[in-house]
Amino acid sequence: MSDSTITSYNIESAAALHNNPNRVSQLPFRDTFLLLLWPSWVGKSTIMRELPETKYIWPYTTRELRPGETDKKHVSSEEYDNLLSQWKILFSNDLYEVRYGTPLAPVLDAQRDWKVPILDFPLDKVTSFSQSVRRIIDMNFLCVYLFPPDMATWIQRMQTDGRMNESRLSAGKAELTDLVQSTEPHPLIDISLVSHTGKIDDLVSSVRQIIQKLRT
């Protein structure tokens, strides 16, 4: 299947397939971690800013922060090792010689404040992430996959945002193609939504409705 044949129809069909809405009402509000899944650039950052019911879980990183970057916390490699040894990092991810760690403290803060911890995350790492987190804290995971409206629009969005690179493009294409061609629901995806151009408010509203269906 080529880029041009992954159309809005294909995406809508895939989103309908990869859905398990009945699971949402089975999950408890206070002990559920909401993961917004890839591919890149489908509006995840905007959604997270618009959901007061949630708490964004900022990561530690050994990479120096870019100018104006406020959604991560830089630590040295030594500090990072200390955090790991003290079990203060729920999940550690090495990427391009940089380490990123999901911290424990803000997740506990979210539970205390009756907010749902939220994180944008790649689909292919959900299993290892959930296993790592559960070694430290008992959590449920609600995985919401955000589809772009079609492949061409997704590529255009990345180009406009300046985030286009070959590895990101190749991985995203492969993931979307697999989901579109699948004939069985993906076992890790609970809810699928489509990020239509110019309708981010509708997407925010849909995610909010999902959160409100969690069992209190």
Side-chain angles (χ1 to χ4, degrees), residues 16 38 48 103 144 155-156 166 215-216:
W38 299 52
M48 291 187 290
V144 177
I155 293 173
Q156 183 181 31
E166 190 57 39
R215 179 166 50 83
T216 56

Side-chain angles (χ1 to χ4, degrees), residues 27-86:
L27 298 174
F29 184 96
R30 192 170 184 272
D31 296 321
T32 294
F33 205 131
L34 175 58
L35 299 180
L36 297 182
L37 306 179
W38 299 52
S40 294
W41 217 113
V42 287
K44 294 186 296 294
S45 298
T46 302
I47 292 171
M48 291 187 290
R49 288 196 300 268
E50 297 297 325
L51 293 172
E53 306 93 336
T54 67
K55 180 179 180 64
Y56 172 66
I57 307 304
W58 45 264
Y60 294 111
T61 179
T62 56
R63 170 178 62 75
E64 292 289 343
L65 300 185
R66 303 183 184 97
E69 190 173 22
T70 60
D71 60 348
K72 298 177 181 63
K73 182 176 181 180
H74 170 70
V75 294
S76 67
S77 292
E78 182 179 1
E79 289 175 303
Y80 194 96
D81 288 336
N82 288 336
L83 291 166
L84 275 175
S85 66
Q86 296 169 25

Side-chain angles (χ1 to χ4, degrees), residues 100-189:
Y100 296 88
T102 306
L104 170 62
V107 176
L108 298 178
D109 290 343
Q111 289 184 304
R112 181 199 63 207
D113 297 335
W114 281 89
K115 291 182 178 290
V116 174
I118 186 172
L119 189 63
D120 61 310
F121 212 75
L123 176 60
D124 64 352
K125 291 188 178 294
V126 168
T127 298
S128 55
F129 178 77
S130 61
Q131 291 172 346
S132 181
V133 170
R134 285 172 173 152
R135 287 187 302 168
I136 303 175
I137 182 173
D138 186 21
M139 296 289 292
N140 301 283
F141 294 89
L142 175 60
C143 298
V144 177
Y145 196 92
L146 304 180
F147 281 93
D150 54 68
M151 184 74 85
T153 300
W154 172 67
I155 293 173
Q156 183 181 31
R157 287 177 177 180
M158 285 202 299
Q159 289 173 332
T160 302
D161 198 40
R163 299 178 63 184
M164 174 73 80
N165 62 60
E166 190 57 39
S167 60
R168 188 188 297 271
L169 180 64
S170 177
K173 281 183 178 180
E175 182 172 290
L176 288 171
T177 300
D178 285 346
L179 291 173
V180 165
Q181 292 182 335
S182 176
T183 58
E184 297 291 336
H186 194 287
L188 297 178
I189 298 175

